[in-house]
Amino acid sequence: MAQQAYATETDNGGSGPEHRGSRLRRLVHRLFDGWRGDPRIWRRGIVVAALGVLLALVMLLHAQIPNRIGNLGSLGETFLPWFGVFIPLLLVLALVRRSATALIALLMPVIVWLNLFGGLLTDKAAAGGDLTVATHNVNADNSDPEGTARAVAASGADVVALEELTQGAVPVYEKALAPAYKYHSVQGTVGLWSKYPLSGVRPVDIKLGWTRAMRAAVAAPGGQAAVYVAHLPSVRVKLEAGFTARQRDKSADALGEAIADEPLDKVLLLGDLNGTMNDRSLNAVTAQMRSTQGAAGSGFGFSWPASFPMARIDQIMVRGIEPVSSWTLPETGSDHLPVAARVRLASSD
């Protein structure tokens, strides 16, 4: 009797995977049954195919979308990587419609998306480097500035830039960071902490009427480098006005001019630019600098919002400096994630 019960249990357990496998086969047959020899597979799904072509054109020609109406072009470029989410949705519709035309048309957005962002999917980080930098918009409403400061210092960064500093929180950050960073300067709402001496410290005018950018020269072991810290004005998405970014764009142009006039060959830009590398309105800055994430990171490195990052608006950029690796740091009490990078200042000759 015990042997019979054991055999029955084994039979039932063995039928589970077989049953699941048969259901999967039926699902596959249901999706593809009738495709062969059906001439309608070329006539069905024309709307889905057209949507696929339209998606490809929007991504391919994003720079041609005008900014005259609500800065629509910049808004699209800010979230451009997310256009890829529509590809699997269209794929499901193409399979449901049993449309070969739609499936072929979907190759277009796939190719365009991979051409734009495929390089970001690989890990380009390398070993080495002689300077680690980090930047963090700490959020003016941060309820734990001391904990945020400790978290950033724990990254091991040699140079740390902080943005959105309030007058009341500055002493807290100074005290928390003092053990790790001998040199620092706060200019307006931005600050720079360094393990190496600073010189030539000054605010940078980005046409706001108050200080949200600064410049300093860091005497690092790999060589002297100019470090810019910037917090460009915020942008807003409004139903009646679209993507409002005029002040941000004006400040970006001013920041780009300051960096272009920088006499030192090696330049680092750390900060919250309230825009991505794809946003044409930041061209005054991005055209003359490299993103460490794009050159030496892994993935998109989204930094905002911290609860569900959708865009990398916190940037580390370099000129005359070799990026080695780039990454995001764990969440703090801010609504932004800190970002960090390892770079090489010394010549490889």
Side-chain angles (χ1 to χ4, degrees):
M1 179 69 71
Q3 290 179 342
Q4 183 178 0
Y6 178 82
T8 302
E9 183 179 354
T10 304
D11 290 340
N12 289 340
S15 65
E18 182 179 353
H19 181 62
R20 288 193 295 270
S22 63
R23 281 194 299 179
L24 179 60
R25 283 194 295 271
R26 285 198 301 269
L27 177 60
V28 172
H29 285 315
R30 187 178 303 170
L31 285 174
F32 292 100
D33 187 32
W35 286 58
R36 183 179 300 176
D38 182 0
R40 293 178 299 172
I41 62 174
W42 301 104
R43 297 196 295 268
R44 288 193 296 257
I46 300 301
V47 173
V48 178
L51 290 174
V53 173
L54 178 61
L55 177 61
L57 291 175
V58 169
M59 291 190 293
L60 183 64
L61 303 175
H62 65 86
Q64 307 306 316
I65 300 174
N67 259 344
R68 291 188 301 272
I69 304 174
N71 272 345
L72 188 60
S74 288
L75 177 60
E77 287 165 341
T78 298
F79 299 103
L80 194 59
W82 291 95
F83 280 62
V85 171
F86 295 108
I87 295 175
L89 296 178
L90 292 175
L91 175 61
V92 170
L93 291 176
L95 292 175
V96 170
R97 292 289 293 143
R98 299 180 184 178
S99 171
T101 301
L103 289 176
I104 293 174
L106 278 178
L107 289 175
M108 291 181 61
V110 170
I111 293 171
V112 172
W113 192 92
L114 288 175
N115 181 62
L116 289 172
F117 304 111
L120 294 175
L121 301 180
T122 60
D123 187 353
K124 299 174 289 298
D130 49 32
L131 186 72
T132 301
V133 299
T135 181
H136 190 24
N137 179 328
V138 296
N139 188 357
D141 297 324
N142 193 323
S143 60
D144 184 21
E146 184 177 357
T148 296
R150 286 198 304 265
V152 175
S155 69
D158 302 303
V159 175
V160 171
L162 300 182
E163 304 86 49
E164 209 166 295
L165 295 170
T166 63
Q167 186 175 2
V170 166
V172 179
Y173 287 106
E174 289 177 328
K175 181 179 179 180
L177 293 172
Y181 301 96
K182 184 176 180 181
Y183 309 94
H184 88 279
S185 175
V186 175
Q187 303 287 324
T189 61
V190 298
L192 185 66
W193 278 259
S194 173
K195 295 180 180 179
Y196 308 116
L198 301 176
S199 62
V201 179
R202 57 175 172 81
V204 174
D205 182 13
I206 55 173
K207 311 302 181 185
L208 282 174
W210 69 96
T211 302
R212 284 178 45 149
M214 63 176 290
R215 178 264 187 201
V218 176
Q224 190 177 47
V227 179
Y228 285 77
V229 183
H231 182 196
L232 297 188
S234 300
V235 297
R236 298 287 184 268
V237 180
K238 301 179 181 178
L239 291 177
E240 71 279 7
F243 190 63
T244 57
R246 183 173 301 176
Q247 186 58 63
R248 190 278 312 266
D249 299 347
K250 181 180 178 182
S251 292
D253 291 342
L255 178 62
E257 291 177 9
I259 293 173
D261 292 337
E262 171 58 48
L264 293 180
D265 294 331
K266 296 179 173 62
V267 184
L268 279 154
L269 171 61
L270 313 174
D272 174 7
L273 302 191
N274 271 305
T276 68
M277 294 295 294
N278 296 314
D279 191 339
R280 77 194 71 168
S281 296
L282 300 184
N283 279 352
V285 175
T286 58
Q288 57 179 318
M289 308 195 79
R290 299 173 68 193
S291 162
T292 58
Q293 184 66 25
S298 175
F300 292 96
F302 294 148
S303 63
W304 177 88
S307 57
F308 187 83
M310 297 184 65
R312 185 180 178 88
I313 62 175
D314 301 275
Q315 306 289 354
I316 299 176
M317 299 186 201
V318 295
R319 188 181 74 193
I321 295 171
E322 185 64 27
V324 174
S325 57
S326 188
W327 63 97
T328 56
L329 296 170
E331 186 175 356
T332 70
S334 172
D335 56 341
H336 292 243
L337 294 179
V339 298
R342 182 82 174 161
V343 300
R344 183 180 297 111
L345 295 178
S347 174
S348 57
D349 296 341

